[in-house]
Amino acid sequence: MIQCLNFVGGQFVAGSGAAQTVKSPLTGKEIGTFRHSTAQDIDAAVKIAKKASMAWGKTPAKERATLLLNLRTILLRDLETIASQVSAESGKTVAEAKAGLMKGIEVLEFATSLQNADQGGRMQVSRGVFCEYRREALGVVAGITPFNFPAMVPMWMIPIALGVGNAFVWKPSDKVPLTSNLLAKTIHEAGFPAGSFTVLQGGRESVEAILDHQDISAVGFVGSSPIAKKVYERGSAQGKRVLALGGAKNPIILMPDADPEMATRGIADSFTGCAGQRCMAASVLLAVMDQEGKTEKLIQGIVEKARSIQVGKEMGALISRESLDRLTGAIATAEKEGAKVLLDGRNPKISTELSEGNWLGPTILDQVKPGSTAACDELFGPLLSIVRFQNLSDAISFEASSAFGNACSVFTQNGAVAERVANESTAGMIGVNIGVPVPREPFSFGGTKTSKFGVGDITGQTGVEFWSQLKKVTVKWAETSDKNWMS
Ligand code: NAD
């Protein structure tokens, strides 16, 4: 059993709130415990972070980047250890856990380049008068993260927020707190000063105390849409800068002319990767049907690819029993509403040592009704709902009617069709023949509609803007003969 702790002022300490145990989704066994952080724990930690932020914010960008480079080396050294921990507590495979951490390291690499890329700007704006930008940290900022990427999602925030000079307070998901202690160790070893990086364990009450704390200037949140909305509203009402990323129901438009191998592999991988617990996973297939049966054949190809995935080896587990119940319930409801189960992942074959885990194999529902739960609601599991359309326009209209707007992909070999989907789709991240269209740095990550509350994106340059502010300094050193309003 791992005793998972808070990390405050460079030391591991226990919170003083209620104790909670952590179960592995793979085995159902208890693997750790932690204590929630009370409002007093949070206040004490923020005081230390505030003090640390004064010196850290004044440290030259190049020195801050040197510590980020140290962190990169340590993370790569500890990749296996961190990935095993991520896998044990979140249920994903070790390979997926590694890939997630590597994606987080890409954000870190972007943050290390800020010392070279972010030159600010200075120009003579009037005779003898110079104006310049200075990018400054906000002070103490916080990040609140979901269960599904215990290392990657925090790494969307930590390198940029620390890199621009803030003290960062992280509240990991109470479902997957254990990885945070490994990350805290690596950040400490990289040389970040005590108090510049803090971990506070907890759930709703800890989040509320963070949102209400007057010395925290900005909050980045990633999680489900209802909580994202609450966090955005409460934090904004407290005068904070808030960017809250929410849930998703990502459609893939399948055209009859799609390349069979790219489409069937891309779509099967998209809805089954990380057992469908990715905010970028495909969860509804908008199949545009044709007279020659090409789309029908592609659907069969997706079913065959998904059927061949070995549950427990190539695909991980669901986070909890509640998740499993939610998904099996949704499958039963869809069946009652007339959907056909093309691939049934209920009660998959699984080895004895994993038999107490939360397992659902890849599941594909066909003939799903457009307005139904299976077509519209985020279910967050390896479930693909197929809604059939007679033409592209109707598929595009369905996409536009979604409450979510994270990702939308199209599989086609027709450039004009791809361009039309890219133009008319209402989602924030579009894929063409890509099942999981996650942008890579310097391109930023963020959706639209209820998939994001707030302005800008969480990574890339808009992430830099979110975690920092621009000061404008106007200077004159000598009197000039031709005076104007600025002179
Ligand atoms: P969640 O919303 O339940 O929890 C997210 C965070 O909020 C956790 O730290 C949790 O402790 C905290 N929290 C839970 N209930 C709260 C409450 N009532 N008040 C305040 N804070 C609360 O999300 P989850 O189940 O951990 O993660 C899965 C969700 O995250 C899915 O909806 C998924 O789509 C979404 N997600 C979105 C993105 C994105 O980039 N848009 C990325 C990853 C995950």
Side-chain angles (χ1 to χ4, degrees):
M1 288 281 276
I2 298 170
Q3 296 283 339
C4 175
L5 296 166
N6 287 346
F7 186 69
V8 178
Q11 312 271 336
F12 283 102
V13 290
S16 30
Q20 191 173 314
T21 53
V22 184
K23 277 188 185 174
S24 173
L26 300 169
T27 60
K29 293 207 171 80
E30 287 186 0
I31 53 171
T33 60
F34 72 94
R35 299 190 84 90
H36 285 246
S37 307
T38 61
Q40 288 76 15
D41 295 333
I42 289 167
D43 186 49
V46 171
K47 279 200 174 82
I48 295 170
K50 191 176 177 188
K51 208 165 158 215
S53 74
M54 313 268 181
W56 179 241
K58 290 190 171 57
T59 307
K62 187 176 180 305
E63 285 177 34
R64 293 197 297 255
T66 304
L67 301 191
L68 288 171
L69 284 163
N70 293 348
L71 177 59
R72 181 180 182 277
T73 308
I74 297 164
L75 286 172
L76 289 172
R77 181 198 71 195
D78 293 355
L79 191 65
E80 293 284 340
T81 315
I82 298 171
S84 318
Q85 182 65 87
V86 167
S87 167
E89 69 174 338
S90 71
K92 61 181 76 210
T93 66
V94 173
E96 289 170 341
K98 270 191 211 166
L101 188 55
M102 290 308 294
K103 184 78 194 104
I105 289 173
E106 288 186 356
V107 180
L108 195 155
E109 287 164 354
F110 169 75
T112 62
S113 72
L114 290 177
Q115 54 167 330
N116 303 321
D118 193 12
Q119 296 169 350
R122 183 173 196 266
M123 70 186 287
Q124 185 174 211
V125 291
S126 184
R127 278 192 196 282
V129 180
F130 291 83
C131 204
E132 73 181 58
Y133 277 134
R134 291 185 192 173
R135 188 172 296 285
E136 294 192 342
L138 301 175
V140 183
V141 300
I144 298 159
T145 53
F147 81 79
N148 63 327
F149 284 99
M152 181 190 82
V153 169
M155 291 290 289
W156 287 352
M157 306 184 200
I158 295 167
I160 300 178
L162 284 176
V164 297
N166 299 294
F168 189 84
V169 173
W170 175 25
K171 206 291 295 166
S173 162
D174 45 330
K175 293 172 193 156
V176 295
L178 308 181
T179 302
S180 69
N181 279 199
L182 292 183
L183 287 187
K185 270 189 202 145
T186 60
I187 289 170
H188 187 62
E189 188 185 339
F192 286 85
S196 61
F197 179 74
T198 301
V199 180
L200 293 166
Q201 310 295 349
R204 180 178 61 79
E205 284 174 18
S206 311
V207 171
E208 288 174 357
I210 286 171
L211 293 171
D212 293 346
H213 202 292
Q214 290 311 304
D215 286 333
I216 295 178
S217 315
V219 175
F221 172 92
V222 180
S224 60
S225 292
I227 311 292
K229 186 167 187 278
K230 276 190 199 163
V231 164
Y232 180 77
E233 286 171 353
R234 187 162 179 154
S236 302
Q238 293 293 335
K240 293 186 195 338
R241 210 179 257 202
V242 185
L243 181 59
L245 272 57
K249 183 79 179 179
N250 302 311
I252 288 189
I253 299 177
L254 177 63
M255 297 301 291
D257 72 340
D259 176 88
E261 185 51 32
M262 275 170 88
T264 54
R265 171 58 56 213
I267 295 167
D269 286 353
S270 178
F271 89 92
T272 59
C274 300
Q277 298 167 114
R278 284 192 285 198
C279 66
M280 294 295 279
S283 51
V284 56
L285 186 71
L286 315 185
V288 179
M289 306 311 291
D290 63 316
Q291 301 296 324
E292 295 153 55
K294 287 186 186 161
T295 305
E296 199 70 62
K297 223 168 146 198
L298 290 168
I299 291 173
Q300 282 316 310
I302 297 165
V303 172
E304 291 322 312
K305 286 263 170 22
R307 197 194 302 282
S308 71
I309 293 169
Q310 289 177 280
V311 181
K313 282 195 185 136
E314 295 166 319
M315 198 184 91
L318 292 172
I319 188 69
S320 62
R321 282 282 142 169
E322 295 78 55
S323 261
L324 184 56
D325 293 345
R326 183 181 65 241
L327 279 142
T328 48
I331 296 165
T333 307
E335 266 185 299
K336 270 191 216 131
E337 290 170 353
K340 273 174 48 187
V341 184
L342 295 188
L343 183 63
D344 195 344
R346 288 171 286 191
N347 306 311
K349 274 201 194 114
I350 206 82
S351 60
T352 323
E353 70 272 21
L354 300 179
S355 59
E356 294 302 310
N358 314 314
W359 298 102
L360 176 71
T363 301
I364 300 181
L365 300 174
D366 196 6
Q367 317 274 3
V368 172
K369 298 238 163 27
S372 66
T373 297
C376 302
D377 295 357
E378 181 175 47
L379 294 166
F380 224 50
L383 172 63
L384 186 69
S385 301
I386 303 177
V387 184
R388 293 178 173 229
F389 292 92
Q390 295 314 311
N391 57 62
L392 177 61
S393 297
D394 289 350
I396 289 176
S397 301
F398 177 84
E399 188 279 338
S401 71
S402 173
F404 300 102
N406 228 30
C408 171
S409 290
V410 59
F411 280 83
T412 181
Q413 296 192 69
N414 182 324
V417 167
E419 195 53 25
R420 182 174 168 203
V421 173
N423 280 331
E424 295 184 25
S425 166
T426 59
M429 293 170 278
I430 310 298
V432 175
N433 298 320
I434 305 268
V436 186
V438 177
R440 191 208 180 278
E441 283 60 39
F443 299 98
S444 58
F445 186 101
T448 59
K449 300 195 269 183
T450 60
S451 295
K452 190 181 74 184
F453 300 86
V455 177
D457 286 342
I458 197 86
T459 58
Q461 187 57 31
T462 60
V464 175
E465 303 301 335
F466 179 73
W467 297 113
S468 65
Q469 57 197 353
L470 287 178
K471 184 177 268 176
K472 285 66 63 181
V473 180
T474 308
V475 182
K476 182 174 78 168
W477 285 108
E479 204 56 69
T480 51
S481 54
D482 48 349
K483 287 191 175 198
N484 61 32
W485 68 272
M486 280 189 104
S487 307

